[in-house]
Amino acid sequence: MNKILLKIDGREVEAGEGMTILEAARKVGIVIPTLCHHEKLEPYGACRICTVEAEIRGSTKLVAACLYPVEQDLIVRTRSERVDKIRRMILELLLAHAPEARQLQDLAKEYGADKDRFEKEPSFCILCGLCVRYCAEVKKKNAVGFVNRGAGREISFIPEIASKECWKCKECFPLCPTEALQAAYVFTEALVSLTSFQA
Amino acid sequence: MDSDRIDQIINKHQGQARSLIQVLLEIQSENRWLPREVLEKVSEKLEVPLSRVLRIVTFYKTFSFTPKGHYEIDVCTGTACHLRGAQRVLDTVQDLTGIKPGETDLDSKLSLETVNCLGCCGLGPVMEIGGKTHSKMSPAEIADALKKCE
Ligand code: SF4
Ligand code: FES
């Protein structure tokens, strides 16, 4: 595999072809926050909290570190005023949906995000897709999926499948950065026990 | 619509995940709604996870989980029609039919929806009744057109 040399926060980093900025950074212990990334899952790029500045041939752009492949002579800045401002805004928006989420609160502290900046609209789910993708890609059960669109988009367990598969798995529960997933599951369980979906 | 016809549509595309939307559209237009059991069958026969079928069905406004009326009334409320008086058209239709956007009347004859563009803004305000496009309708003309829906 070809070696690629790049610079992350001023450090020379050696990476393999096809690696993402995130992987290259993690290899040398540089931390980039992520919410929707998971090693076992295909890249997704939903949350944008991993945004970094990437400079190539003199021009700088903002990219998602979990998606962007490394390039020879790439210069990456994982913290800058611009990057921090974007992360702060993302956190403030997400906190309007899931104000109690620990992971978001911790990041908010680090980036000085104000959790009360936007009017609360607790849907609890931040649509990171970890549960949906884990169930589809790793467990291949598709017991939980997205429904509706735009502002009404949400996750939904498929009762017919969930009633057969989920009780013995629940591996997606610890992945959820908020409490949305468990709440949705409890709701589905109640629904299943009330209806004929029961297996 | 009998389940034979549904089976026919589905079987035509057996094992073809890429035909999902086509199959759903055909069933929707013939059956006027998509019952849960039908979606399960579609998922099984086309080999598409049910979660993806549901994601797509809930994404497009064309698909419906409840039976729609024989005649679908689509009132355009897009920007151009809005400026040209779509609200008056919509009010008239609501008064005449007694149903609101998203609803179907009790004898399953009429369903009302608002849409965002029917592609002929110059003719606005535009509405469609049972697939036929009408332009710049006066209240009396709307009443006439609705009476023809039998
Ligand atoms: S329920 Fe949790 S894991 Fe699933 S998409 Fe929402 S925030 Fe992500
Ligand atoms: S972690 Fe990169 S977009 Fe979510």
Side-chain angles (χ1 to χ4, degrees):
Chain A
M1 198 158 64
N2 285 339
K3 288 276 166 251
I4 289 176
L5 283 177
L6 69 155
K7 241 187 199 154
I8 305 180
D9 292 346
R11 268 168 71 181
E12 294 279 356
V13 178
E14 202 183 274
E17 210 179 303
M19 267 178 141
T20 60
I21 293 177
L22 179 67
E23 285 165 332
R26 285 201 173 160
K27 215 176 67 164
V28 294
I30 294 172
V31 178
I32 299 174
T34 61
L35 286 170
C36 69
H37 174 82
H38 190 286
E39 275 147 32
K40 286 191 193 159
L41 303 177
E42 288 294 314
Y44 191 57
C47 71
R48 301 281 146 170
I49 200 76
C50 65
T51 298
V52 295
E53 276 185 54
E55 186 181 329
I56 186 92
R57 289 180 287 277
S59 72
T60 304
K61 53 185 173 179
L62 292 163
V63 301
C66 70
L67 296 179
Y68 201 86
V70 290
E71 268 176 82
Q72 184 67 33
D73 301 326
L74 186 71
I75 300 169
V76 177
R77 283 179 290 275
T78 71
R79 291 294 294 256
S80 70
E81 209 176 302
R82 211 167 150 212
V83 165
D84 282 16
K85 197 174 148 200
I86 286 169
R87 291 192 187 149
R88 196 180 314 132
M89 171 67 99
I90 292 171
L91 288 165
E92 285 166 345
L93 289 165
L94 293 179
L95 281 161
H97 287 293
E100 304 300 327
R102 274 297 301 278
Q103 217 176 321
L104 295 183
Q105 285 178 350
D106 292 348
L107 283 169
K109 214 172 284 164
E110 184 169 346
Y111 289 93
D114 171 9
K115 79 170 174 33
D116 298 316
R117 171 153 176 210
F118 296 107
E119 202 180 317
K120 296 273 169 307
E121 207 178 293
S123 59
F124 305 104
C125 178
I126 58 166
L127 303 174
C128 70
L130 282 173
C131 55
V132 173
R133 291 178 294 134
Y134 190 85
C135 195
E137 292 175 32
V138 178
K139 306 300 290 188
K140 306 218 176 342
K141 299 292 184 211
N142 296 290
V144 56
F146 283 115
V147 291
N148 301 328
R149 66 168 161 181
R153 194 155 176 257
E154 58 185 12
I155 60 145
S156 167
F157 279 91
I158 315 295
E160 293 91 329
I161 304 170
S163 62
K164 287 190 216 105
E165 305 290 347
C166 295
W167 62 275
K168 57 183 183 227
C169 170
K170 297 187 178 172
E171 283 170 34
C172 59
F173 282 17
L175 302 181
C176 180
T178 75
E179 314 78 29
L181 181 60
Q182 300 212 28
Y185 181 72
V186 171
F187 179 75
T188 311
E189 241 183 356
L191 187 75
V192 166
S193 66
L194 280 173
T195 62
S196 52
F197 284 127
Q198 206 147 23
Chain B
M1 181 169 160
D2 48 82
S3 59
D4 285 354
R5 181 72 193 107
I6 294 182
D7 286 345
Q8 230 177 25
I9 297 174
I10 298 175
N11 289 338
K12 225 172 33 195
H13 300 274
Q14 178 132 19
Q16 295 177 0
R18 65 193 151 87
S19 308
L20 176 61
I21 293 184
Q22 196 50 45
V23 169
L24 294 172
L25 280 172
E26 270 181 53
I27 301 174
Q28 171 74 41
S29 83
E30 293 208 19
N31 195 42
R32 305 200 311 275
W33 70 299
L34 300 170
R36 187 83 176 191
E37 309 81 63
V38 169
L39 296 179
E40 281 171 35
K41 204 181 268 178
V42 169
S43 146
E44 193 187 310
K45 285 280 172 67
L46 267 59
E47 293 164 36
V48 178
L50 185 56
S51 61
R52 193 182 307 159
V53 176
L54 290 171
R55 189 179 77 201
I56 287 167
V57 171
T58 55
F59 186 89
Y60 295 105
K61 234 178 157 180
T62 322
F63 300 126
S64 127
F65 280 127
T66 49
K68 287 226 175 145
H70 271 279
Y71 293 91
E72 279 179 44
I73 309 171
D74 291 325
V75 177
C76 182
T77 53
T79 315
C81 287
H82 173 79
L83 292 174
R84 288 160 166 262
Q87 194 56 46
R88 279 198 304 275
V89 174
L90 187 59
D91 289 344
T92 310
V93 176
Q94 294 194 81
D95 286 347
L96 290 168
T97 60
I99 51 174
K100 291 198 199 66
E103 294 180 350
T104 300
D105 66 357
L106 283 176
D107 25 324
S108 294
K109 202 171 74 177
L110 305 170
S111 300
L112 179 58
E113 282 294 347
T114 58
V115 295
N116 287 326
C117 189
L118 289 170
C120 43
C121 307
L123 303 176
V126 194
M127 67 186 291
E128 246 180 46
I129 302 175
K132 194 168 179 304
T133 308
H134 299 270
S135 149
K136 302 192 184 119
M137 298 265 272
S138 69
E141 287 169 322
I142 295 175
D144 266 354
L146 288 176
K147 256 186 230 136
K148 291 203 188 100
C149 297
E150 284 308 333

Short mmCIF file of all heavy atoms in Angstrom, two decimals, chain A residues 17-44:
data_model
loop_
_atom_site.label_atom_id
_atom_site.label_comp_id
_atom_site.label_asym_id
_atom_site.label_seq_id
_atom_site.Cartn_x
_atom_site.Cartn_y
_atom_site.Cartn_z
N GLU A 17 -3.06 4.67 1.73
CA GLU A 17 -4.01 5.13 0.72
C GLU A 17 -5.42 4.69 1.10
O GLU A 17 -5.63 3.59 1.60
CB GLU A 17 -3.62 4.52 -0.62
CG GLU A 17 -3.99 5.39 -1.79
CD GLU A 17 -3.56 4.75 -3.10
OE1 GLU A 17 -2.36 4.46 -3.25
OE2 GLU A 17 -4.44 4.54 -3.95
N GLY A 18 -6.39 5.57 0.87
CA GLY A 18 -7.78 5.21 1.15
C GLY A 18 -8.20 5.45 2.59
O GLY A 18 -9.37 5.31 2.93
N MET A 19 -7.23 5.83 3.44
CA MET A 19 -7.60 6.13 4.83
C MET A 19 -8.30 7.48 4.87
O MET A 19 -8.08 8.35 4.03
CB MET A 19 -6.34 6.25 5.69
CG MET A 19 -5.91 4.98 6.37
SD MET A 19 -4.38 5.38 7.23
CE MET A 19 -4.60 4.49 8.71
N THR A 20 -9.15 7.67 5.87
CA THR A 20 -9.76 8.99 6.04
C THR A 20 -8.88 9.82 6.97
O THR A 20 -8.01 9.28 7.66
CB THR A 20 -11.16 8.87 6.66
OG1 THR A 20 -11.03 8.25 7.94
CG2 THR A 20 -12.09 8.06 5.79
N ILE A 21 -9.16 11.12 6.98
CA ILE A 21 -8.42 12.00 7.88
C ILE A 21 -8.61 11.52 9.32
O ILE A 21 -7.68 11.47 10.11
CB ILE A 21 -8.92 13.46 7.74
CG1 ILE A 21 -8.57 14.01 6.36
CG2 ILE A 21 -8.34 14.33 8.84
CD1 ILE A 21 -9.08 15.42 6.10
N LEU A 22 -9.83 11.10 9.63
CA LEU A 22 -10.12 10.65 10.99
C LEU A 22 -9.24 9.45 11.38
O LEU A 22 -8.64 9.42 12.45
CB LEU A 22 -11.60 10.27 11.11
CG LEU A 22 -12.06 9.76 12.47
CD1 LEU A 22 -11.99 10.87 13.51
CD2 LEU A 22 -13.48 9.21 12.41
N GLU A 23 -9.15 8.50 10.48
CA GLU A 23 -8.33 7.31 10.77
C GLU A 23 -6.86 7.68 10.94
O GLU A 23 -6.20 7.20 11.85
CB GLU A 23 -8.50 6.28 9.65
CG GLU A 23 -9.82 5.55 9.69
CD GLU A 23 -10.14 4.80 8.39
OE1 GLU A 23 -9.67 5.22 7.31
OE2 GLU A 23 -10.85 3.80 8.46
N ALA A 24 -6.38 8.55 10.07
CA ALA A 24 -4.98 8.96 10.15
C ALA A 24 -4.71 9.69 11.47
O ALA A 24 -3.69 9.48 12.12
CB ALA A 24 -4.63 9.85 8.97
N ALA A 25 -5.66 10.52 11.88
CA ALA A 25 -5.49 11.28 13.12
C ALA A 25 -5.52 10.35 14.33
O ALA A 25 -4.69 10.46 15.24
CB ALA A 25 -6.57 12.34 13.24
N ARG A 26 -6.46 9.43 14.32
CA ARG A 26 -6.59 8.51 15.45
C ARG A 26 -5.34 7.65 15.62
O ARG A 26 -4.94 7.33 16.74
CB ARG A 26 -7.80 7.61 15.26
CG ARG A 26 -9.08 8.37 15.53
CD ARG A 26 -10.22 7.44 15.85
NE ARG A 26 -11.37 8.25 16.25
CZ ARG A 26 -12.62 7.81 16.22
NH1 ARG A 26 -12.89 6.58 15.81
NH2 ARG A 26 -13.61 8.60 16.62
N LYS A 27 -4.74 7.30 14.50
CA LYS A 27 -3.56 6.44 14.53
C LYS A 27 -2.44 7.07 15.36
O LYS A 27 -1.67 6.37 16.01
CB LYS A 27 -3.07 6.20 13.09
CG LYS A 27 -2.50 4.82 12.88
CD LYS A 27 -2.12 4.61 11.42
CE LYS A 27 -0.95 5.51 11.07
NZ LYS A 27 -0.25 5.17 9.86
N VAL A 28 -2.35 8.39 15.33
CA VAL A 28 -1.28 9.04 16.09
C VAL A 28 -1.84 9.73 17.35
O VAL A 28 -1.19 10.56 17.96
CB VAL A 28 -0.53 10.08 15.22
CG1 VAL A 28 0.21 9.38 14.11
CG2 VAL A 28 -1.49 11.13 14.66
N GLY A 29 -3.06 9.39 17.70
CA GLY A 29 -3.61 9.86 18.96
C GLY A 29 -4.18 11.28 18.94
O GLY A 29 -4.38 11.89 19.98
N ILE A 30 -4.42 11.82 17.76
CA ILE A 30 -5.06 13.14 17.69
C ILE A 30 -6.57 12.93 17.71
O ILE A 30 -7.11 12.14 16.93
CB ILE A 30 -4.65 13.88 16.40
CG1 ILE A 30 -3.15 14.19 16.46
CG2 ILE A 30 -5.45 15.17 16.24
CD1 ILE A 30 -2.58 14.76 15.17
N VAL A 31 -7.22 13.64 18.63
CA VAL A 31 -8.65 13.41 18.82
C VAL A 31 -9.49 14.34 17.94
O VAL A 31 -9.30 15.55 17.95
CB VAL A 31 -9.04 13.62 20.31
CG1 VAL A 31 -10.53 13.42 20.50
CG2 VAL A 31 -8.25 12.65 21.19
N ILE A 32 -10.40 13.76 17.18
CA ILE A 32 -11.41 14.54 16.44
C ILE A 32 -12.76 14.02 16.93
O ILE A 32 -12.99 12.82 16.91
CB ILE A 32 -11.27 14.32 14.91
CG1 ILE A 32 -9.91 14.79 14.42
CG2 ILE A 32 -12.39 15.05 14.17
CD1 ILE A 32 -9.64 14.48 12.95
N PRO A 33 -13.62 14.92 17.41
CA PRO A 33 -14.90 14.41 17.94
C PRO A 33 -15.77 13.82 16.82
O PRO A 33 -15.72 14.29 15.68
CB PRO A 33 -15.55 15.65 18.53
CG PRO A 33 -14.96 16.80 17.79
CD PRO A 33 -13.55 16.39 17.44
N THR A 34 -16.51 12.80 17.15
CA THR A 34 -17.45 12.21 16.18
C THR A 34 -18.75 11.86 16.90
O THR A 34 -18.76 11.63 18.10
CB THR A 34 -16.91 10.89 15.57
OG1 THR A 34 -16.72 9.95 16.63
CG2 THR A 34 -15.61 11.09 14.83
N LEU A 35 -19.83 11.84 16.15
CA LEU A 35 -21.11 11.40 16.73
C LEU A 35 -21.73 10.28 15.91
O LEU A 35 -22.32 9.36 16.43
CB LEU A 35 -22.09 12.58 16.82
CG LEU A 35 -21.83 13.62 17.91
CD1 LEU A 35 -22.73 14.83 17.71
CD2 LEU A 35 -22.06 13.03 19.30
N CYS A 36 -21.59 10.38 14.59
CA CYS A 36 -22.27 9.39 13.75
C CYS A 36 -21.31 8.35 13.20
O CYS A 36 -21.71 7.48 12.44
CB CYS A 36 -23.02 10.08 12.62
SG CYS A 36 -21.95 10.81 11.37
N HIS A 37 -20.03 8.44 13.58
CA HIS A 37 -19.05 7.51 13.04
C HIS A 37 -18.97 6.23 13.88
O HIS A 37 -19.10 6.27 15.09
CB HIS A 37 -17.68 8.19 13.00
CG HIS A 37 -16.57 7.28 12.58
ND1 HIS A 37 -16.32 7.01 11.26
CD2 HIS A 37 -15.69 6.57 13.30
CE1 HIS A 37 -15.30 6.16 11.19
NE2 HIS A 37 -14.90 5.87 12.40
N HIS A 38 -18.77 5.11 13.20
CA HIS A 38 -18.55 3.85 13.91
C HIS A 38 -17.63 3.00 13.04
O HIS A 38 -17.86 2.85 11.84
CB HIS A 38 -19.89 3.14 14.13
CG HIS A 38 -19.78 1.97 15.06
ND1 HIS A 38 -19.21 0.78 14.68
CD2 HIS A 38 -20.17 1.80 16.35
CE1 HIS A 38 -19.26 -0.07 15.71
NE2 HIS A 38 -19.83 0.53 16.72
N GLU A 39 -16.60 2.44 13.68
CA GLU A 39 -15.59 1.70 12.91
C GLU A 39 -16.17 0.56 12.08
O GLU A 39 -15.69 0.26 10.99
CB GLU A 39 -14.53 1.12 13.84
CG GLU A 39 -13.44 2.12 14.16
CD GLU A 39 -12.89 1.93 15.56
OE1 GLU A 39 -12.88 0.78 16.03
OE2 GLU A 39 -12.51 2.94 16.16
N LYS A 40 -17.19 -0.08 12.59
CA LYS A 40 -17.71 -1.24 11.87
C LYS A 40 -18.67 -0.86 10.75
O LYS A 40 -19.15 -1.72 10.02
CB LYS A 40 -18.47 -2.14 12.85
CG LYS A 40 -17.57 -2.93 13.77
CD LYS A 40 -18.40 -3.98 14.48
CE LYS A 40 -17.64 -4.58 15.64
NZ LYS A 40 -18.58 -5.20 16.59
N LEU A 41 -19.00 0.42 10.66
CA LEU A 41 -20.03 0.81 9.70
C LEU A 41 -19.45 1.61 8.54
O LEU A 41 -18.40 2.25 8.67
CB LEU A 41 -21.11 1.64 10.39
CG LEU A 41 -21.79 0.98 11.58
CD1 LEU A 41 -22.78 1.95 12.22
CD2 LEU A 41 -22.48 -0.30 11.16
N GLU A 42 -20.16 1.58 7.44
CA GLU A 42 -19.79 2.39 6.28
C GLU A 42 -19.81 3.86 6.66
O GLU A 42 -20.64 4.29 7.45
CB GLU A 42 -20.83 2.18 5.16
CG GLU A 42 -20.77 0.83 4.49
CD GLU A 42 -19.48 0.64 3.70
OE1 GLU A 42 -19.10 1.57 2.97
OE2 GLU A 42 -18.86 -0.43 3.85
N PRO A 43 -18.91 4.67 6.04
CA PRO A 43 -18.93 6.11 6.32
C PRO A 43 -20.31 6.69 6.01
O PRO A 43 -20.99 6.24 5.09
CB PRO A 43 -17.89 6.67 5.35
CG PRO A 43 -17.04 5.53 4.96
CD PRO A 43 -17.88 4.30 5.07
N TYR A 44 -20.71 7.70 6.79
CA TYR A 44 -22.08 8.19 6.68
C TYR A 44 -22.10 9.71 6.58
O TYR A 44 -22.74 10.27 5.70
CB TYR A 44 -22.85 7.70 7.90
CG TYR A 44 -24.34 7.87 7.85
CD1 TYR A 44 -25.10 7.32 6.83
CD2 TYR A 44 -25.00 8.55 8.87
CE1 TYR A 44 -26.48 7.46 6.82
CE2 TYR A 44 -26.37 8.68 8.87
CZ TYR A 44 -27.12 8.14 7.84
OH TYR A 44 -28.48 8.26 7.84
#
